[in-house]
Amino acid sequence: MLVVRESSKLNCFAKPQILTSVHCPIVAQDVGSGWPEPPKKAESQMKIHEYQAKAILARYGVTTPRGEVAFTKEEAREAAQRLKAPVVVVKAQIHAGGRGKAGGVKLARSSDEAAELASQILGMTLVTPQTGPQGRVVRRLLIEEGLDIKRELYLGLLVDRETGRPVFMASAAGGMEIEEVAKDNPNAILREHIHPAVGLQPYQARKIAFGLGLSGELATVATPFLQALYRAFVDTDASMLEINPCVVTGDGKLVALDAKMTFDDNGLFRHKDLRELRDLDEEDPLEVEASKYGLNYIKLDGSVACMVNGAGLAMATMDIIKYAGGSPANFLDVGGGASAEQVKNAFRILLSDPEVRAVFINIFGGILRCDVLATGVVAAAKDLHVSIPVVVRMEGTNVERGQQILRESGLNFTIADGMKDGAQKVVALAGGAR
Ligand code: GDP
Ligand code: MN
């Protein structure tokens, strides 16, 4: 587990909360009082698919249903045949939960039926509370043996920022959205903090097992099961591991029926195998494009595009746009040493968002000199035939030279006198509050 976090990266800020209060999707203070707000989008958390998470967990000794990934109807049929199970489950693989209710999890009683269901689900746009209104297109399926489910439990692991320790969360109310459980009946969730130096102790695992109402043989197998989950969580530098539901089967086994894992970006450098699991189809295309140029870009819902250097200044810029009554269309940190080329790419990415009505460039010229920035902006604006208003606020190295380049460009830039002035101007130009 990585304990030290790189402060210049946008580690934990969920989309809309950035502006109202600095809020992490998986935050400590919420763990105590209830369930954390579900992250609208955990930007610097790499997500993987359920089948991939289950493969990782299986390596650590966690019991998972037998299953195979399928990309086509025929692959689904063949997988179902190989499973030789009376019931197979066809499960949509998208980076979001809530698939069951949205029609993305179906039971089949033959391989033909599995193939039929596969062809229905593949290509479907699933809309769940976790996908946002635009939903997600299903491109992969998990074909799994169906199990005889007696009980559905909830198990989750995440890092509690308040105590700086991983916390195991468990509830007998599995299968439903844990956020709902937390709201209606917070006492139904057990929490067990784990000291990273010693890991999940057997007594703690037993406490969780008994708390879930497991007894006899099940309580015995629960200890290695929970410890395996914990080891998988720590070894992979995961930021979240959720088994919802973890089921008790008719034959008295404990099985991870669903699995969700996200990883801390800052730990990914030491997990080449995990990096390869990244599925770009599941990510915002503009964010994928930005990552090619080393730009720290996150799309938001507003209309004022921001181009800023430094994560702190980017946060402040978004705040001041809000303060001026507007709403930012993105977070974009071009970095301290951006080149004119990078500035141009950043501009292009900002402008390809159809929601954008105006651009606010707010740069403190340190290593990135104001003249370099201005040159990049002018070149980009000319190249891209920018027709929307652009407000520029620059301060720092070569600021006069930079402003001169903007003024002499023949383009219609609005030069701002300070951040507040810039924010007010750009919000007005974007059409006021929205
Ligand atoms: P989610 O809705 O995206 O969280 O997907 P899940 O993997 O949690 O599946 C949703 C629900 O489908 C589960 O809570 C189960 O009730 C049901 N389900 C999944 N697999 C099986 C299975 O093997 N047998 C049975 N009977 N139900 C299953
Ligand atoms: Mn689930």
Side-chain angles (χ1 to χ4, degrees):
M1 177 182 40
L2 276 192
V3 177
V4 180
R5 296 177 155 262
E6 188 190 327
S7 60
S8 68
K9 283 189 84 179
L10 191 70
N11 270 316
C12 61
F13 300 103
K15 245 182 191 181
Q17 289 93 332
I18 291 172
L19 308 152
T20 43
S21 65
V22 176
H23 183 106
C24 304
I26 297 168
V27 282
Q29 60 269 37
D30 295 320
V31 172
S33 53
W35 188 257
E37 276 282 296
K40 290 291 180 294
K41 203 155 173 223
E43 328 309 317
S44 53
Q45 314 283 327
M46 191 188 86
K47 294 183 183 172
I48 59 172
H49 289 290
E50 174 194 3
Y51 76 94
Q52 297 167 327
K54 282 176 168 169
I56 293 170
L57 296 177
R59 286 207 292 277
Y60 284 87
V62 177
T63 314
T64 57
R66 291 183 299 126
E68 288 180 36
V69 66
F71 292 84
T72 65
K73 176 183 178 181
E74 284 316 309
E75 283 177 16
R77 185 198 307 279
E78 288 161 20
Q81 277 162 355
R82 277 191 289 271
L83 285 172
K84 295 195 184 14
V87 176
V88 295
V89 190
V90 180
K91 305 185 79 175
Q93 299 294 288
I94 54 170
H95 283 186
R99 298 159 301 166
K101 276 192 198 137
V105 179
K106 298 266 198 245
L107 302 183
R109 279 172 180 77
S110 68
S111 52
D112 283 343
E113 195 185 352
E116 224 25 70
L117 290 169
S119 73
Q120 282 168 26
I121 299 174
L122 282 169
M124 221 170 117
T125 301
L126 280 186
V127 182
T128 84
Q130 294 182 17
T131 59
Q134 76 285 0
R136 291 256 184 220
V137 179
V138 182
R139 294 183 170 88
R140 308 175 189 202
L141 300 169
L142 173 58
I143 312 297
E144 237 177 29
E145 61 174 331
L147 298 178
D148 170 24
I149 300 172
K150 282 282 171 291
R151 283 188 65 195
E152 297 195 325
L153 311 170
Y154 173 90
L155 294 174
L157 268 163
L158 45 87
V159 180
D160 178 356
R161 286 161 192 272
E162 195 161 273
T163 54
R165 292 180 184 187
V167 59
F168 226 123
M169 314 193 81
S171 167
M176 55 179 102
E177 282 193 46
I178 197 69
E179 292 84 357
E180 298 299 316
V181 179
K183 217 185 307 162
D184 303 338
N185 192 5
N187 294 332
I189 300 172
L190 312 170
R191 296 178 177 82
E192 193 64 29
H193 285 86
I194 302 156
H195 196 292
V198 295
L200 180 72
Q201 294 295 293
Y203 83 89
Q204 294 182 295
R206 283 195 294 274
K207 198 165 142 195
I208 295 169
F210 292 135
L212 291 171
L214 302 175
S215 55
E217 181 60 19
L218 268 172
T220 311
V221 298
T223 300
F225 187 94
L226 296 171
Q227 286 182 313
L229 285 176
Y230 178 73
R231 267 199 310 278
F233 175 80
V234 171
D235 275 13
T236 57
D237 292 317
S239 43
M240 194 272 292
L241 166 55
E242 191 179 67
I243 310 296
N244 189 19
C246 171
V247 301
V248 177
T249 61
D251 54 354
K253 288 205 187 86
L254 210 50
V255 184
L257 199 71
D258 190 7
K260 215 181 198 185
M261 281 182 102
T262 62
F263 305 99
D264 185 334
D265 264 9
N266 293 316
L268 282 174
F269 73 95
R270 52 188 190 188
H271 301 289
K272 184 168 179 290
D273 52 333
L274 297 178
R275 290 201 303 273
E276 284 165 2
L277 301 179
R278 192 168 165 199
D279 181 358
L280 296 182
D281 285 337
E282 293 284 331
E283 296 179 25
D284 185 284
L286 288 181
E287 291 178 14
V288 172
E289 178 73 6
S291 70
K292 286 189 205 157
Y293 304 103
L295 300 165
N296 200 353
Y297 170 88
I298 293 152
K299 190 177 152 24
L300 302 167
D301 309 323
S303 61
V304 178
C306 313
M307 173 143 63
V308 186
N309 63 336
L313 187 58
M315 302 293 280
T317 304
M318 293 190 297
D319 272 350
I320 205 160
I321 288 170
K322 269 293 218 208
Y323 189 68
S327 160
N330 68 281
F331 170 101
L332 173 66
D333 172 12
V334 295
S339 63
E341 190 59 26
Q342 252 178 321
V343 168
K344 186 171 154 187
N345 283 315
F347 219 134
R348 183 171 52 76
I349 288 163
L350 290 184
L351 294 172
S352 36
D353 174 356
E355 302 294 313
V356 166
R357 298 278 170 272
V359 181
F360 186 20
I361 300 179
N362 186 9
I363 298 285
F364 182 77
I367 300 169
L368 169 62
R369 304 187 327 251
C370 294
D371 56 323
V372 171
L373 173 90
T375 307
V377 167
V378 168
K382 282 186 174 157
D383 248 41
L384 303 165
H385 307 289
V386 175
S387 55
I388 57 171
V390 179
V391 176
V392 187
R393 178 261 176 175
M394 292 190 292
E395 223 35 272
T397 313
N398 293 358
V399 60
E400 290 83 12
R401 174 88 196 101
Q403 290 184 347
Q404 189 188 354
I405 292 168
L406 294 179
R407 274 194 303 270
E408 290 171 357
S409 67
L411 297 168
N412 190 18
F413 294 110
T414 303
I415 296 174
D417 180 22
M419 264 175 81
K420 190 172 174 200
D421 178 54
Q424 284 165 346
K425 282 184 169 136
V426 77
V427 169
L429 288 166
R434 45 165 275 171

